[in-house]
């Protein structure tokens, strides 16, 4: 009889303990999920191999056509992103380096069109030059500026503009090659007509000027885009982000 009572007590203990363990595990998992910081990752942008046939250039063989009423054999791949040089001027010049941090100054005459380097969404537009040499250095250095989040997940920033394209505002969609402004010398441009160009992860998306101004060297991408080669900075920016994340302050 004692063995039966002991066995019954053990059975009741197991029945009470099992759901309690599940409840604790569930609560712990929920707490971890809530405390994890947001993680940026670039949008997928598959690029076909050079010389690879595309759907438009390769005729479909009869065996590749699915029978009527059956699902397609494979989903359509997104098109590879298109990149263009950000200044519409054949004689624009730039250096491979930049003072203090990774970016590039592209020199061209004031008023030269500044272009969206790829398809995407406008994140920030600064229409008024509020830079003051006696004020804080950094947040307002760019003067009139435009920040673009490309469909590749990368942020592209152009500043010192003489003007922003009429009607351009945050949230607007733009296409590669569309004019977004004009080269100028607003902000801390040392009175020299040029475009400050920076590449970075979007991080806070707005106001994080210490990241927005640029984190990877753009020159090799500018070299490629000038020669109409679609070289993507996604890997470079992703590598920087894995090492530095998004610093909360300069």
């Amino acid at each position: 009889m004692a063995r039966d009572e002991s066995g019954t007590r053990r059975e009741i203990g197991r029945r009470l303990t099992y759901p309690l363990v599940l409840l604790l595990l569930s609560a712990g998992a929920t707490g971890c999920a809530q405390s994890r910081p947001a993680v940026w990752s670039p949008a997928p942008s598959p690029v076909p191999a050079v010389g690879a046939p595309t759907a438009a250039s390769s005729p479909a063989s009869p065996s590749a056509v699915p029978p009527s009423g059956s699902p397609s054999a494979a989903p359509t791949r997104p098109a590879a992103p298109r990149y263009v040089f950000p200044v519409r001027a054949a004689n624009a010049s730039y250096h491979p380096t930049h003072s203090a941090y990774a970016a590039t100054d592209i020199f061209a005459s004031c008023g030269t069109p500044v272009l969206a380097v790829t398809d995407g969404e406008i994140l920030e537009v600064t229409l008024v030059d509020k830079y003051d040499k006696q004020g804080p250095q950094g947040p307002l250095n760019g003067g009139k500026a435009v920040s673009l989040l490309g469909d590749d997940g990368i942020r592209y920033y152009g500043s010192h503009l003489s003007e922003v394209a009429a009607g351009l505002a945050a949230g607007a969609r733009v296409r590669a090659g569309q004019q977004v402004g004009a080269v100028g010398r607003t902000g801390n441009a040392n009175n020299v007509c040029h475009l400050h160009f920076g590449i970075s992860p979007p991080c806070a998306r707005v106001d994080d000027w210490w990241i927005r101004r640029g984190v990877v060297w753009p020159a090799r991408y500018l070299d490629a885009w000038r020669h109409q080669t679609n070289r993507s900075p996604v890997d470079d920016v992703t590598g920087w982000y894995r090492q530095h994340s998004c610093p909360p302050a300069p």
Side-chain angles (χ1 to χ4, degrees):
M1 188 65 178
R3 284 194 303 270
D4 292 341
E5 290 176 357
S6 176
T8 300
R9 285 196 296 270
R10 286 196 298 271
E11 181 63 25
I12 291 173
R14 282 195 296 268
R15 291 178 183 177
L16 291 174
T17 302
Y18 183 65
L20 179 60
V21 171
L22 289 180
L23 180 61
L24 291 173
L25 288 174
S26 176
T30 302
C32 289
Q34 291 174 343
S35 64
R36 290 181 63 187
V39 177
W40 168 79
S41 61
S45 53
V47 180
V50 176
T54 63
S57 62
S58 301
S61 63
S63 60
V65 180
S68 177
S70 66
S72 176
T76 303
R77 295 180 63 187
R82 173 178 171 242
Y83 298 97
V84 301
F85 192 78
V87 174
R88 187 185 295 154
N91 61 346
S93 62
Y94 50 92
H95 300 297
T97 59
H98 184 273
S99 62
Y101 56 91
T104 294
D105 290 334
I106 304 174
F107 299 93
S109 300
C110 278
T112 302
V114 172
L115 312 177
V117 298
T118 193
D119 296 353
E121 173 191 346
I122 299 298
L123 289 180
E124 292 181 275
V125 172
T126 305
L127 297 173
V128 179
D129 180 9
K130 298 181 179 180
Y131 175 70
D132 182 355
K133 288 185 178 180
Q134 306 305 317
Q137 299 300 298
L140 303 175
N141 281 26
K144 297 181 181 180
V146 172
S147 176
L148 165 67
L149 176 60
D151 289 346
D152 57 2
I154 306 302
R155 175 170 50 183
Y156 302 92
Y157 174 68
S159 64
H160 304 317
L161 305 177
S162 60
E163 62 180 1
V164 174
L168 195 69
R173 287 285 305 174
V174 293
R175 304 288 302 214
Q178 179 178 332
Q179 184 170 353
V180 296
V183 173
R185 52 190 177 191
T186 59
N188 187 18
N190 294 318
N191 204 34
V192 176
C193 296
H194 70 279
L195 174 72
H196 172 94
F197 182 70
I199 302 175
S200 67
C203 290
R205 294 174 64 93
V206 298
D207 296 331
D208 55 345
W209 59 268
W210 58 95
I211 301 172
R212 179 189 64 194
R213 64 187 181 181
V215 301
V216 300
W217 297 108
R220 61 175 176 164
Y221 302 106
L222 294 173
D223 291 345
W225 301 342
R226 170 167 265 176
H227 293 91
Q228 300 181 354
T229 299
N230 282 338
R231 185 168 192 170
S232 169
V234 167
D235 289 345
D236 204 2
V237 175
T238 302
W240 181 91
Y241 174 79
R242 286 174 178 166
Q243 183 177 358
H244 302 279
S245 188
C246 290

